[in-house]
Amino acid sequence: MLVIFDCDGVLVDSEPLAAAVFSAELARLGLSMSGDACYREFHGHSLAYCFDWIERKFDRRLPDAFAAQLSVATDSTFSQQLQAVPGVKAVVEELERRHISYCVASNGGHKKIANSLATTGLARYFSRDKGNCFSVDDVATGKPAPDLFLYAAESMGVPPAFTTVVEDSAAGVRAATSAGMHLFVYDPMENFAAQPDLRKFARMQDLLALLLPRGC
């Protein structure tokens, strides 16, 4: 059995912070897009997708330096405010206790993932050195394509049918479904209320009961 965690929104409570920073950096370019709108449109997607969406929406090419500026601003905010999702450390520690394989697979770049994990104290569980940290940098196409999840499972030596993904974004849900993997959706804000067919949970501490039914 393998459990694949998304990073942003599942391991670290980063999405609202990242959306607010994105909005502020766009405003510096004279592009008006609220933090809520950034969250709604970009949640779970790669930066390449976000930048392409912005350029099509505003019919304007982003400056070459924008990616670096956004990275610096995001890192600064995360270093001061980013926290782990409540309860996720206990989940990972229980998986370790039961010798269940786990990893992270994110549409973020390796540098961003590493910074987020280090800031929140999760780097002791997930890292490239441990061989259980996978990024959009590792594949040709990120989520919603299944490539990243399939690559992570193959690297961890576990077939898709024995893999469970923990996601919080529509892109991640599509990727896990396309990969033929089991899926649990972390949905504390009820963003997936209109999809009753999904197996959802609102508190991270409830995940263990889903992953490890009584008697396991």
Side-chain angles (χ1 to χ4, degrees):
M1 178 181 180
L2 169 66
V3 181
I4 300 180
F5 294 90
D6 178 40
C7 186
D8 296 303
V10 172
L11 294 180
V12 300
D13 195 13
S14 58
E15 297 290 19
L17 293 177
V21 173
F22 214 133
S23 174
E25 291 304 304
L26 288 174
R28 292 177 56 172
L29 299 178
L31 303 178
S32 178
M33 191 169 178
S34 69
D36 286 345
C38 288
Y39 178 90
R40 183 174 62 252
E41 297 295 342
F42 305 148
H43 181 206
H45 288 287
S46 66
L47 273 182
Y49 171 93
C50 300
F51 289 178
D52 181 66
W53 189 96
I54 291 166
E55 291 180 345
R56 287 186 287 105
K57 171 71 174 179
F58 293 99
D59 192 25
R60 174 178 168 183
R61 180 175 173 78
L62 291 170
D64 291 339
F66 182 73
Q69 293 167 354
L70 179 64
S71 177
V72 169
T74 302
D75 288 349
S76 176
T77 298
F78 280 14
S79 68
Q80 301 174 55
Q81 302 180 44
L82 188 63
Q83 298 181 1
V85 168
V88 77
K89 289 183 182 180
V91 171
V92 174
E93 288 173 355
E94 182 62 16
L95 294 179
E96 283 195 341
R97 190 182 74 80
R98 294 175 179 250
H99 304 290
I100 295 173
S101 298
Y102 62 86
C103 67
V104 57
S106 169
N107 256 358
H110 273 298
K111 178 176 180 293
K112 178 176 179 288
I113 298 170
N115 288 342
S116 295
L117 295 174
T119 299
T120 56
L122 294 173
R124 60 174 290 193
Y125 307 109
F126 304 89
S127 71
R128 296 179 78 181
D129 289 341
K130 287 173 65 72
N132 69 344
C133 186
F134 305 98
S135 159
V136 70
D137 295 340
D138 299 323
V139 294
T141 307
K143 310 170 197 177
D147 305 34
L148 180 54
F149 287 149
L150 291 172
Y151 174 76
E154 181 180 10
S155 299
M156 297 292 291
V158 179
F162 295 96
T163 298
T164 297
V165 172
V166 184
E167 263 289 354
D168 74 317
S169 72
V173 167
R174 288 173 57 192
T177 302
S178 297
M181 297 174 175
H182 302 287
L183 171 69
F184 291 118
V185 180
Y186 180 51
D187 191 26
M189 304 301 293
E190 297 188 350
N191 294 320
F192 292 88
Q195 295 179 255
D197 56 313
L198 294 176
R199 293 179 292 178
K200 298 170 283 187
F201 65 103
R203 302 185 309 161
M204 191 56 67
Q205 53 264 46
D206 295 334
L207 178 59
L208 283 175
L210 298 172
L211 289 172
L212 308 169
R214 186 171 299 178
C216 293

